[in-house]
Every structure is written in structure tokens, then in C-alpha cells.
Amino acid sequence: MMSKMNPVRSSASAILASAASATSASRPGGARLASTSAKASLQKREALKDCSRLVVKVGTAVVSNSDGSLALSRMGALVEQLKELTMQGRQVLLVSSGAVGLGRQRLGLAKDVVANPANVIDRQACAACGQGLLMSTYDMMFQRMGVNIAQVLITQTDFNSRERYTALTDTLERLNQLNVIAIINENDVVTGCTQLDVQRVFSDNDKLSALVAAGSDADGLALLTDVDAVYTAPPDQPGAERIRVYTPEYDIKIGEKSTMGRGGMLSKINAARVASAGGVHTVVASGFDVTNIKRVFAGEDVGTLFPGQLRPNKRQRWLTFATGTKGKLVVKDDARQRLQQNSKHNQSVSGADLVEIEGWFGEKDVVSLVGTDGTEFARGMVQMDSKEIHDFVLGSSQATFSSAHAVVSGHDIVILESFMQ
């Protein structure tokens, strides 16, 4: 058996390749799907009324004006609505962008200069300057409403590491118990936005909010943006129709991304699909309408609903969405068939199931399980490093292996098709 020791790094975004193709492929009659009746939409939104733990994500365009200054009236309305949700006995988490734009204005830097993906250092400086201003404004507003808040800044490593991911979700759980609204943002000061155009576990706050919602056992997620829903085409184009309830079959034509923010409509669709697959009822709606948060969680027909699916367990959610992979195990066809047909029975992968390995990885790292055709069909956490697998397992002359030679335990495997319907 051959072993390819080429460095490999992928992310949960690869699972959503079908979502990207769904937004670019032409399907005759796709726009007609947008005619889902208001009655049917309302029926599907009933679950939003009962959501007890909510995540609200507001983008840069919502919390700031075009010049980068804070949109205080919208922020005030946001704070009032979140307070009202807590008065209903609901727990609330807020994912807020805006630090980079606010810092840019304070530092007097040009928008096009900071928006350049190659200009990492200025974005870091803007984030450092703007995050404190953003939080101090939120703190002043929430304190006047009698609500305590906490700042939670997250990096890529917090998701890649199982231990840090657990610590993060445990902290969010405790803050919820204490009736504290966590205000969450990516820590751009240290992550540096160095991979703005590279798919990562999360590359913007849309995906971050989806991972937070799924990881914190939230029931509902509102992605508030500068458009009032997902449309079959950019809303300013003739014939564009609002999609009331999203399904992957829609033919959606995507416009350009926002300037200061990193997430365009494709980002929101992908994020909403991740949250939906994690068991979270998700709505993409306008943040410019100050009543939309209340309307979304009252089950009204606003925005676009991505209905939540059956929630996988926390370990499965981490393996599927919240961490990247560091290598690949190429699995024999019969072993792949066995794993896919018995996805609920904790089937292990032994050395006898492997054709080859690709990449360098350590013990307990997460790897992709791919078929002989190169298609990723599962993910798992390995029990030994790549060298051990190569030397001990693939290099062994034994024809079969006992359970002691399991490369990936059945408890550490997730079959991807089970969660991305």
C-alpha cells in the first residue's frame, strides 16, 4: 500500500460544497419554488415560538453606518429587543460584527485600504481599536436595561481543539445560567484575518454564529443582514423572489459581498445550512427593520427560514462542523459501504480497511475518510499518528486486524451524509 505524505488541511466548509453548487447551477423552474405559501411558511415557523435559547447575529452593515460610525438607533433597538426576549424567559447570545469598521473610522484609515484582503496588519489594528469601542457601547446600553453582558472573543484554535471547544461551550452554558448575554466576535487581533479568501472552519461571523448556535445547544438563530431575506437573485434584479422556506433545490444567483464585512449571501446560506444541520431553526432577515428579532421568534413570516434538522450529539457536531481535518484515510470500497450502511452502530475503521493515507497528523487529530474515488464521506479522530499507521498498520503483513488495531474508533466517526441532507 502506498502512503502519500503531503500536508493536507481542509475545513467544515468543504461539506457545504453542495450548497455552493446549488447557488450557482442553473435549474429550470427554480424561481417558482419561491412561491411557497405564507400559510405553509407559518406552519414551519411554529417551532421558533418555543425556542428557549437563541443566537442573534448582526453584521457590520447593521451596527454601523456607511462611514463606519455606530448606528446607535439600530443598536438601541437591538438591545431593547434582546432584553424583551430575556423577559420572556429565553436565553440569548449575540454575535456582533463591526469592530473593524469602527476601528477604521477611529484611526482615520480609508475603507478600500482596510478592505484589501492582503492588508492584514491594518485590519488587525482596526479590530484592536474598534472592539473596545463596540463593547463599551453595548455595555452602556445593556446596563441601562438592567442586563449584564460578557465579551467572548474566539479564534480558530478554539474550534480545532476538542478541549478548548468544550471549555468554550461550557463557559457559554454557565453565562446562560447566570442570565448574562455573551457578545461574541472573532478575535481578529490575533487571528489576523490571514485567510480571508481561504475556506476555514469559520471565515466570517455568519459561520461563527452557526457554530456557536449548534455548539451551545441553541434552538434558534437569527442572521440579521442588509437584505430582508434570501432571494432567487439579488433583490434589485427583475424577477427576484423571496424564498420563504429554503431547500437545497433552489436556483439562487449570488450578488457581490459587502465591502467591510466578509460575509455575503452565499456565506449566510452556508452558515444557515450548518446551523440547520446542527438542529437549529435559522432565519435570514433584515437587521434594518428594528422589529424583526421579535417577529422572527414570534414565528411570523419574515426573512427566509432554514428549518432545523434532528440534532446530532455534541461530539458529532464538533467532528462535522467545528474542526478542520489534518489528513486523509483512503478507505476500501467494501469498508466504506459497511460504514455508510451502519452509520448508527459505531463501526470502527481498522488497518485492514485502508488503502493509503495522505498527510501528516498526530494521535487524536481529526482526519477525512475518503473513498477510492477521492470523495469525503466521513470524519474521524485517529487513535495513532500518521507514522504509526504507515509503519505499523499499513506496513504489517497481517491480513486481518483485531479491534485493538482500530485506527478510528466507532465512537469517533461521523458519517457526513447523515447530517447534510
PDB file of all heavy atoms in Angstrom, residues 172-200:
ATOM      1  N   LEU A 172     -20.068  29.271  27.809  1.00  0.00           N
ATOM      2  CA  LEU A 172     -21.313  29.852  27.302  1.00  0.00           C
ATOM      3  C   LEU A 172     -22.519  29.305  28.059  1.00  0.00           C
ATOM      4  O   LEU A 172     -23.474  30.044  28.340  1.00  0.00           O
ATOM      5  CB  LEU A 172     -21.453  29.560  25.801  1.00  0.00           C
ATOM      6  CG  LEU A 172     -20.413  30.230  24.891  1.00  0.00           C
ATOM      7  CD1 LEU A 172     -20.616  29.788  23.449  1.00  0.00           C
ATOM      8  CD2 LEU A 172     -20.497  31.752  24.998  1.00  0.00           C
ATOM      9  N   GLU A 173     -22.459  28.039  28.406  1.00  0.00           N
ATOM     10  CA  GLU A 173     -23.544  27.434  29.181  1.00  0.00           C
ATOM     11  C   GLU A 173     -23.670  28.110  30.550  1.00  0.00           C
ATOM     12  O   GLU A 173     -24.776  28.432  30.996  1.00  0.00           O
ATOM     13  CB  GLU A 173     -23.287  25.939  29.351  1.00  0.00           C
ATOM     14  CG  GLU A 173     -24.309  25.200  30.201  1.00  0.00           C
ATOM     15  CD  GLU A 173     -25.675  25.111  29.543  1.00  0.00           C
ATOM     16  OE1 GLU A 173     -25.742  25.075  28.304  1.00  0.00           O
ATOM     17  OE2 GLU A 173     -26.681  25.082  30.272  1.00  0.00           O
ATOM     18  N   ARG A 174     -22.547  28.340  31.202  1.00  0.00           N
ATOM     19  CA  ARG A 174     -22.582  28.963  32.530  1.00  0.00           C
ATOM     20  C   ARG A 174     -23.072  30.408  32.440  1.00  0.00           C
ATOM     21  O   ARG A 174     -23.842  30.860  33.304  1.00  0.00           O
ATOM     22  CB  ARG A 174     -21.189  28.905  33.165  1.00  0.00           C
ATOM     23  CG  ARG A 174     -21.140  29.480  34.581  1.00  0.00           C
ATOM     24  CD  ARG A 174     -22.143  28.794  35.500  1.00  0.00           C
ATOM     25  NE  ARG A 174     -22.092  29.320  36.859  1.00  0.00           N
ATOM     26  CZ  ARG A 174     -23.122  29.314  37.695  1.00  0.00           C
ATOM     27  NH1 ARG A 174     -24.295  28.799  37.303  1.00  0.00           N
ATOM     28  NH2 ARG A 174     -22.998  29.798  38.908  1.00  0.00           N
ATOM     29  N   LEU A 175     -22.646  31.138  31.427  1.00  0.00           N
ATOM     30  CA  LEU A 175     -23.123  32.513  31.248  1.00  0.00           C
ATOM     31  C   LEU A 175     -24.633  32.541  31.045  1.00  0.00           C
ATOM     32  O   LEU A 175     -25.327  33.422  31.572  1.00  0.00           O
ATOM     33  CB  LEU A 175     -22.413  33.178  30.067  1.00  0.00           C
ATOM     34  CG  LEU A 175     -20.930  33.510  30.274  1.00  0.00           C
ATOM     35  CD1 LEU A 175     -20.303  33.973  28.964  1.00  0.00           C
ATOM     36  CD2 LEU A 175     -20.766  34.583  31.350  1.00  0.00           C
ATOM     37  N   ASN A 176     -25.150  31.578  30.292  1.00  0.00           N
ATOM     38  CA  ASN A 176     -26.602  31.490  30.113  1.00  0.00           C
ATOM     39  C   ASN A 176     -27.307  31.246  31.449  1.00  0.00           C
ATOM     40  O   ASN A 176     -28.351  31.835  31.731  1.00  0.00           O
ATOM     41  CB  ASN A 176     -26.946  30.378  29.123  1.00  0.00           C
ATOM     42  CG  ASN A 176     -26.727  30.778  27.680  1.00  0.00           C
ATOM     43  OD1 ASN A 176     -27.002  31.904  27.287  1.00  0.00           O
ATOM     44  ND2 ASN A 176     -26.218  29.863  26.873  1.00  0.00           N
ATOM     45  N   GLN A 177     -26.731  30.366  32.253  1.00  0.00           N
ATOM     46  CA  GLN A 177     -27.329  30.075  33.558  1.00  0.00           C
ATOM     47  C   GLN A 177     -27.349  31.306  34.457  1.00  0.00           C
ATOM     48  O   GLN A 177     -28.252  31.466  35.289  1.00  0.00           O
ATOM     49  CB  GLN A 177     -26.562  28.940  34.239  1.00  0.00           C
ATOM     50  CG  GLN A 177     -26.682  27.601  33.541  1.00  0.00           C
ATOM     51  CD  GLN A 177     -25.728  26.566  34.116  1.00  0.00           C
ATOM     52  OE1 GLN A 177     -24.879  26.879  34.965  1.00  0.00           O
ATOM     53  NE2 GLN A 177     -25.850  25.327  33.659  1.00  0.00           N
ATOM     54  N   LEU A 178     -26.359  32.181  34.273  1.00  0.00           N
ATOM     55  CA  LEU A 178     -26.264  33.395  35.077  1.00  0.00           C
ATOM     56  C   LEU A 178     -27.044  34.563  34.476  1.00  0.00           C
ATOM     57  O   LEU A 178     -26.955  35.688  34.966  1.00  0.00           O
ATOM     58  CB  LEU A 178     -24.792  33.797  35.230  1.00  0.00           C
ATOM     59  CG  LEU A 178     -23.914  32.834  36.036  1.00  0.00           C
ATOM     60  CD1 LEU A 178     -22.445  33.195  35.898  1.00  0.00           C
ATOM     61  CD2 LEU A 178     -24.335  32.832  37.502  1.00  0.00           C
ATOM     62  N   ASN A 179     -27.798  34.278  33.402  1.00  0.00           N
ATOM     63  CA  ASN A 179     -28.601  35.308  32.716  1.00  0.00           C
ATOM     64  C   ASN A 179     -27.740  36.444  32.179  1.00  0.00           C
ATOM     65  O   ASN A 179     -28.114  37.624  32.213  1.00  0.00           O
ATOM     66  CB  ASN A 179     -29.685  35.865  33.647  1.00  0.00           C
ATOM     67  CG  ASN A 179     -30.681  34.799  34.061  1.00  0.00           C
ATOM     68  OD1 ASN A 179     -31.138  34.005  33.245  1.00  0.00           O
ATOM     69  ND2 ASN A 179     -31.004  34.761  35.349  1.00  0.00           N
ATOM     70  N   VAL A 180     -26.558  36.082  31.703  1.00  0.00           N
ATOM     71  CA  VAL A 180     -25.640  37.036  31.089  1.00  0.00           C
ATOM     72  C   VAL A 180     -25.685  36.841  29.577  1.00  0.00           C
ATOM     73  O   VAL A 180     -25.633  35.708  29.086  1.00  0.00           O
ATOM     74  CB  VAL A 180     -24.199  36.822  31.601  1.00  0.00           C
ATOM     75  CG1 VAL A 180     -23.225  37.721  30.859  1.00  0.00           C
ATOM     76  CG2 VAL A 180     -24.129  37.073  33.108  1.00  0.00           C
ATOM     77  N   ILE A 181     -25.798  37.934  28.832  1.00  0.00           N
ATOM     78  CA  ILE A 181     -25.760  37.845  27.372  1.00  0.00           C
ATOM     79  C   ILE A 181     -24.315  37.897  26.916  1.00  0.00           C
ATOM     80  O   ILE A 181     -23.620  38.906  27.117  1.00  0.00           O
ATOM     81  CB  ILE A 181     -26.569  38.990  26.722  1.00  0.00           C
ATOM     82  CG1 ILE A 181     -28.063  38.822  27.035  1.00  0.00           C
ATOM     83  CG2 ILE A 181     -26.340  39.020  25.212  1.00  0.00           C
ATOM     84  CD1 ILE A 181     -28.944  39.898  26.405  1.00  0.00           C
ATOM     85  N   ALA A 182     -23.838  36.808  26.340  1.00  0.00           N
ATOM     86  CA  ALA A 182     -22.485  36.773  25.790  1.00  0.00           C
ATOM     87  C   ALA A 182     -22.479  37.490  24.444  1.00  0.00           C
ATOM     88  O   ALA A 182     -23.307  37.212  23.580  1.00  0.00           O
ATOM     89  CB  ALA A 182     -22.027  35.329  25.622  1.00  0.00           C
ATOM     90  N   ILE A 183     -21.551  38.426  24.275  1.00  0.00           N
ATOM     91  CA  ILE A 183     -21.379  39.116  22.994  1.00  0.00           C
ATOM     92  C   ILE A 183     -20.102  38.575  22.371  1.00  0.00           C
ATOM     93  O   ILE A 183     -19.010  38.730  22.911  1.00  0.00           O
ATOM     94  CB  ILE A 183     -21.320  40.638  23.180  1.00  0.00           C
ATOM     95  CG1 ILE A 183     -22.632  41.117  23.816  1.00  0.00           C
ATOM     96  CG2 ILE A 183     -21.081  41.324  21.836  1.00  0.00           C
ATOM     97  CD1 ILE A 183     -22.703  42.611  24.019  1.00  0.00           C
ATOM     98  N   ILE A 184     -20.259  37.915  21.240  1.00  0.00           N
ATOM     99  CA  ILE A 184     -19.218  37.078  20.661  1.00  0.00           C
ATOM    100  C   ILE A 184     -18.712  37.686  19.359  1.00  0.00           C
ATOM    101  O   ILE A 184     -19.488  38.209  18.556  1.00  0.00           O
ATOM    102  CB  ILE A 184     -19.778  35.655  20.410  1.00  0.00           C
ATOM    103  CG1 ILE A 184     -20.302  35.055  21.729  1.00  0.00           C
ATOM    104  CG2 ILE A 184     -18.723  34.752  19.789  1.00  0.00           C
ATOM    105  CD1 ILE A 184     -21.227  33.878  21.546  1.00  0.00           C
ATOM    106  N   ASN A 185     -17.406  37.578  19.153  1.00  0.00           N
ATOM    107  CA  ASN A 185     -16.801  38.042  17.912  1.00  0.00           C
ATOM    108  C   ASN A 185     -15.527  37.236  17.686  1.00  0.00           C
ATOM    109  O   ASN A 185     -14.977  36.654  18.625  1.00  0.00           O
ATOM    110  CB  ASN A 185     -16.477  39.539  17.983  1.00  0.00           C
ATOM    111  CG  ASN A 185     -16.245  40.179  16.625  1.00  0.00           C
ATOM    112  OD1 ASN A 185     -16.317  39.514  15.586  1.00  0.00           O
ATOM    113  ND2 ASN A 185     -15.954  41.466  16.620  1.00  0.00           N
ATOM    114  N   GLU A 186     -15.079  37.172  16.438  1.00  0.00           N
ATOM    115  CA  GLU A 186     -13.779  36.563  16.178  1.00  0.00           C
ATOM    116  C   GLU A 186     -12.695  37.505  16.680  1.00  0.00           C
ATOM    117  O   GLU A 186     -12.796  38.724  16.529  1.00  0.00           O
ATOM    118  CB  GLU A 186     -13.578  36.291  14.691  1.00  0.00           C
ATOM    119  CG  GLU A 186     -12.227  35.630  14.400  1.00  0.00           C
ATOM    120  CD  GLU A 186     -12.014  35.294  12.942  1.00  0.00           C
ATOM    121  OE1 GLU A 186     -12.883  35.629  12.118  1.00  0.00           O
ATOM    122  OE2 GLU A 186     -10.964  34.697  12.633  1.00  0.00           O
ATOM    123  N   ASN A 187     -11.651  36.940  17.264  1.00  0.00           N
ATOM    124  CA  ASN A 187     -10.543  37.748  17.777  1.00  0.00           C
ATOM    125  C   ASN A 187      -9.585  38.066  16.633  1.00  0.00           C
ATOM    126  O   ASN A 187      -8.502  37.484  16.505  1.00  0.00           O
ATOM    127  CB  ASN A 187      -9.825  37.012  18.904  1.00  0.00           C
ATOM    128  CG  ASN A 187      -8.861  37.904  19.654  1.00  0.00           C
ATOM    129  OD1 ASN A 187      -8.673  39.065  19.294  1.00  0.00           O
ATOM    130  ND2 ASN A 187      -8.247  37.371  20.690  1.00  0.00           N
ATOM    131  N   ASP A 188      -9.979  39.016  15.788  1.00  0.00           N
ATOM    132  CA  ASP A 188      -9.191  39.357  14.608  1.00  0.00           C
ATOM    133  C   ASP A 188      -7.815  39.915  14.951  1.00  0.00           C
ATOM    134  O   ASP A 188      -6.920  39.919  14.104  1.00  0.00           O
ATOM    135  CB  ASP A 188      -9.938  40.390  13.745  1.00  0.00           C
ATOM    136  CG  ASP A 188     -11.144  39.794  13.049  1.00  0.00           C
ATOM    137  OD1 ASP A 188     -11.102  38.592  12.752  1.00  0.00           O
ATOM    138  OD2 ASP A 188     -12.124  40.530  12.808  1.00  0.00           O
ATOM    139  N   VAL A 189      -7.634  40.381  16.173  1.00  0.00           N
ATOM    140  CA  VAL A 189      -6.339  40.958  16.556  1.00  0.00           C
ATOM    141  C   VAL A 189      -5.243  39.901  16.508  1.00  0.00           C
ATOM    142  O   VAL A 189      -4.108  40.178  16.109  1.00  0.00           O
ATOM    143  CB  VAL A 189      -6.415  41.581  17.965  1.00  0.00           C
ATOM    144  CG1 VAL A 189      -5.058  42.103  18.398  1.00  0.00           C
ATOM    145  CG2 VAL A 189      -7.456  42.689  17.991  1.00  0.00           C
ATOM    146  N   VAL A 190      -5.553  38.671  16.871  1.00  0.00           N
ATOM    147  CA  VAL A 190      -4.534  37.619  16.887  1.00  0.00           C
ATOM    148  C   VAL A 190      -4.681  36.653  15.722  1.00  0.00           C
ATOM    149  O   VAL A 190      -3.704  36.041  15.293  1.00  0.00           O
ATOM    150  CB  VAL A 190      -4.557  36.834  18.218  1.00  0.00           C
ATOM    151  CG1 VAL A 190      -4.151  37.728  19.359  1.00  0.00           C
ATOM    152  CG2 VAL A 190      -5.920  36.218  18.479  1.00  0.00           C
ATOM    153  N   THR A 191      -5.894  36.491  15.203  1.00  0.00           N
ATOM    154  CA  THR A 191      -6.038  35.616  14.033  1.00  0.00           C
ATOM    155  C   THR A 191      -5.626  36.348  12.780  1.00  0.00           C
ATOM    156  O   THR A 191      -5.210  35.746  11.802  1.00  0.00           O
ATOM    157  CB  THR A 191      -7.485  35.120  13.886  1.00  0.00           C
ATOM    158  OG1 THR A 191      -8.359  36.240  13.739  1.00  0.00           O
ATOM    159  CG2 THR A 191      -7.902  34.305  15.085  1.00  0.00           C
ATOM    160  N   GLY A 192      -5.796  37.662  12.779  1.00  0.00           N
ATOM    161  CA  GLY A 192      -5.252  38.481  11.715  1.00  0.00           C
ATOM    162  C   GLY A 192      -5.982  38.427  10.402  1.00  0.00           C
ATOM    163  O   GLY A 192      -5.554  39.041   9.429  1.00  0.00           O
ATOM    164  N   CYS A 193      -7.107  37.671  10.329  1.00  0.00           N
ATOM    165  CA  CYS A 193      -7.819  37.537   9.057  1.00  0.00           C
ATOM    166  C   CYS A 193      -6.851  37.122   7.959  1.00  0.00           C
ATOM    167  O   CYS A 193      -6.952  37.573   6.810  1.00  0.00           O
ATOM    168  CB  CYS A 193      -8.508  38.835   8.659  1.00  0.00           C
ATOM    169  SG  CYS A 193      -9.503  39.575   9.932  1.00  0.00           S
ATOM    170  N   THR A 194      -5.879  36.282   8.269  1.00  0.00           N
ATOM    171  CA  THR A 194      -4.838  35.964   7.294  1.00  0.00           C
ATOM    172  C   THR A 194      -5.330  35.088   6.166  1.00  0.00           C
ATOM    173  O   THR A 194      -4.640  34.915   5.174  1.00  0.00           O
ATOM    174  CB  THR A 194      -3.661  35.241   7.987  1.00  0.00           C
ATOM    175  OG1 THR A 194      -4.159  34.092   8.674  1.00  0.00           O
ATOM    176  CG2 THR A 194      -2.973  36.170   8.964  1.00  0.00           C
ATOM    177  N   GLN A 195      -6.524  34.522   6.316  1.00  0.00           N
ATOM    178  CA  GLN A 195      -7.043  33.642   5.278  1.00  0.00           C
ATOM    179  C   GLN A 195      -8.432  34.104   4.861  1.00  0.00           C
ATOM    180  O   GLN A 195      -9.371  33.328   4.816  1.00  0.00           O
ATOM    181  CB  GLN A 195      -7.092  32.195   5.782  1.00  0.00           C
ATOM    182  CG  GLN A 195      -5.713  31.631   6.119  1.00  0.00           C
ATOM    183  CD  GLN A 195      -5.823  30.268   6.768  1.00  0.00           C
ATOM    184  OE1 GLN A 195      -6.496  30.077   7.774  1.00  0.00           O
ATOM    185  NE2 GLN A 195      -5.155  29.296   6.184  1.00  0.00           N
ATOM    186  N   LEU A 196      -8.537  35.371   4.498  1.00  0.00           N
ATOM    187  CA  LEU A 196      -9.848  35.934   4.190  1.00  0.00           C
ATOM    188  C   LEU A 196     -10.537  35.192   3.062  1.00  0.00           C
ATOM    189  O   LEU A 196     -11.754  35.033   3.070  1.00  0.00           O
ATOM    190  CB  LEU A 196      -9.700  37.414   3.798  1.00  0.00           C
ATOM    191  CG  LEU A 196      -9.362  38.374   4.924  1.00  0.00           C
ATOM    192  CD1 LEU A 196      -9.174  39.775   4.363  1.00  0.00           C
ATOM    193  CD2 LEU A 196     -10.462  38.381   5.968  1.00  0.00           C
ATOM    194  N   ASP A 197      -9.785  34.740   2.078  1.00  0.00           N
ATOM    195  CA  ASP A 197     -10.385  34.098   0.920  1.00  0.00           C
ATOM    196  C   ASP A 197     -10.119  32.600   0.895  1.00  0.00           C
ATOM    197  O   ASP A 197     -10.245  31.953  -0.130  1.00  0.00           O
ATOM    198  CB  ASP A 197      -9.861  34.749  -0.370  1.00  0.00           C
ATOM    199  CG  ASP A 197     -10.271  36.214  -0.451  1.00  0.00           C
ATOM    200  OD1 ASP A 197     -11.402  36.537  -0.047  1.00  0.00           O
ATOM    201  OD2 ASP A 197      -9.444  37.011  -0.907  1.00  0.00           O
ATOM    202  N   VAL A 198      -9.737  32.031   2.030  1.00  0.00           N
ATOM    203  CA  VAL A 198      -9.481  30.604   2.128  1.00  0.00           C
ATOM    204  C   VAL A 198     -10.543  29.979   3.021  1.00  0.00           C
ATOM    205  O   VAL A 198     -10.861  30.492   4.079  1.00  0.00           O
ATOM    206  CB  VAL A 198      -8.078  30.327   2.720  1.00  0.00           C
ATOM    207  CG1 VAL A 198      -7.833  28.833   2.865  1.00  0.00           C
ATOM    208  CG2 VAL A 198      -7.006  30.954   1.834  1.00  0.00           C
ATOM    209  N   GLN A 199     -11.098  28.831   2.601  1.00  0.00           N
ATOM    210  CA  GLN A 199     -12.113  28.170   3.406  1.00  0.00           C
ATOM    211  C   GLN A 199     -11.476  27.632   4.678  1.00  0.00           C
ATOM    212  O   GLN A 199     -10.504  26.890   4.643  1.00  0.00           O
ATOM    213  CB  GLN A 199     -12.758  27.035   2.618  1.00  0.00           C
ATOM    214  CG  GLN A 199     -13.672  27.518   1.505  1.00  0.00           C
ATOM    215  CD  GLN A 199     -14.420  26.376   0.860  1.00  0.00           C
ATOM    216  OE1 GLN A 199     -13.936  25.249   0.824  1.00  0.00           O
ATOM    217  NE2 GLN A 199     -15.593  26.655   0.354  1.00  0.00           N
ATOM    218  N   ARG A 200     -12.067  28.006   5.816  1.00  0.00           N
ATOM    219  CA  ARG A 200     -11.589  27.546   7.107  1.00  0.00           C
ATOM    220  C   ARG A 200     -12.789  27.007   7.867  1.00  0.00           C
ATOM    221  O   ARG A 200     -13.889  26.948   7.365  1.00  0.00           O
ATOM    222  CB  ARG A 200     -10.942  28.693   7.883  1.00  0.00           C
ATOM    223  CG  ARG A 200      -9.796  29.377   7.156  1.00  0.00           C
ATOM    224  CD  ARG A 200      -9.225  30.481   8.024  1.00  0.00           C
ATOM    225  NE  ARG A 200     -10.188  31.547   8.246  1.00  0.00           N
ATOM    226  CZ  ARG A 200     -10.101  32.444   9.207  1.00  0.00           C
ATOM    227  NH1 ARG A 200      -9.120  32.381  10.075  1.00  0.00           N
ATOM    228  NH2 ARG A 200     -10.992  33.393   9.322  1.00  0.00           N
TER     229      ARG A 200
END
